[in-house]
Amino acid sequence: MANTLNRRLEVTVISGEDLRINDRPIKNNAFVTVKADCGSPWSHDSTKPDDQGESYPYWDEKLHVDLPAGSRHLVVEVLRRSSSAGDRPVGTAWIPVSDFIYTNYARFLSYRLRDAKGLRNGIINISVRVVSSSCKESLSCKGCSSSSSPSVPEFGMPADREKNSGTVTGVPVWYPDGWKT
């Protein structure tokens, strides 16, 4: 089995702004789930519903999420809990991993939420910090990578092992005649 790098994230869900369902402000019981875009369906964490904030909820809760190697986004979804209709989606933000993964400190981020139709539907304010990185030998740690390479490096792609045992990382640079790596 392959060794891959998993990261443990601490996501502090701070607040939401102007949350709506069917173009009407929500009344209460908004909560947030956070997960990796390619993690296990059971690998997510959620806040408690805010019963007082109406369309401007405030949670200030720390959630912990595993980010498998190969993940490109952190998915933050705001839902509203209702006893009659169950959990109704309010909006979702797909946060690129590159927005927070290359730093060793907490990043405070605000993202526009989009509803199921892709329309703007409020803002989510969060803080993301990489708590730890760990290498595990298990199938559940493989992430999204479907390649048959023996290992997935932390960044970049595997180099030719016969010539160099390092990792190759390309940084795209814009030139007048197009992108170069």
Side-chain angles (χ1 to χ4, degrees):
M1 286 175 231
N3 284 336
T4 58
L5 187 72
N6 257 6
R7 290 182 182 85
R8 183 93 168 145
L9 303 177
E10 179 182 86
V11 180
T12 303
V13 180
I14 301 168
S15 63
E17 301 173 24
D18 197 26
L19 304 180
R20 300 172 170 274
I21 292 180
N22 296 330
D23 215 18
R24 288 181 292 182
I26 63 170
K27 296 293 182 196
N28 58 10
N29 293 333
F31 69 100
V32 177
T33 62
V34 179
K35 62 184 176 184
D37 63 345
C38 68
S40 305
W42 58 88
S43 176
H44 69 279
D45 203 357
S46 300
T47 65
K48 294 180 180 85
D50 175 37
D51 57 355
Q52 297 176 351
E54 296 187 359
S55 63
Y56 289 83
Y58 180 77
W59 297 281
D60 196 25
E61 283 188 51
K62 289 186 188 325
L63 306 178
H64 291 91
V65 179
D66 288 324
L67 186 69
S71 292
R72 293 183 183 183
H73 296 92
L74 187 66
V75 182
V76 177
E77 185 174 21
V78 179
L79 299 116
R80 181 180 178 271
R81 181 154 291 152
S82 162
S83 58
S84 60
D87 296 343
R88 293 191 58 194
V90 175
T92 305
W94 287 68
I95 301 169
V97 170
S98 61
D99 283 3
F100 58 84
I101 205 69
Y102 299 114
T103 62
N104 293 328
Y105 52 89
R107 296 289 309 255
F108 290 89
L109 307 165
S110 295
Y111 283 92
R112 170 77 59 194
L113 294 167
R114 300 281 178 173
D115 64 10
K117 297 175 187 172
L119 302 174
R120 294 178 176 186
N121 199 24
I123 295 171
I124 189 75
N125 301 303
I126 64 170
S127 168
V128 181
R129 181 171 72 101
V130 177
V131 178
S132 67
S133 298
S134 63
C135 242
K136 297 179 180 177
E137 288 203 18
S138 70
L139 286 175
S140 63
C141 181
K142 269 191 142 173
C144 293
S145 178
S146 61
S147 67
S148 59
S149 65
S151 67
V152 178
E154 182 176 349
F155 301 110
M157 51 190 252
D160 185 356
R161 301 255 180 230
E162 295 174 1
K163 296 179 184 174
N164 184 355
S165 62
T167 300
V168 176
T169 302
V171 178
V173 178
W174 175 255
Y175 286 92
D177 59 337
W179 286 98
K180 306 257 190 237
T181 324

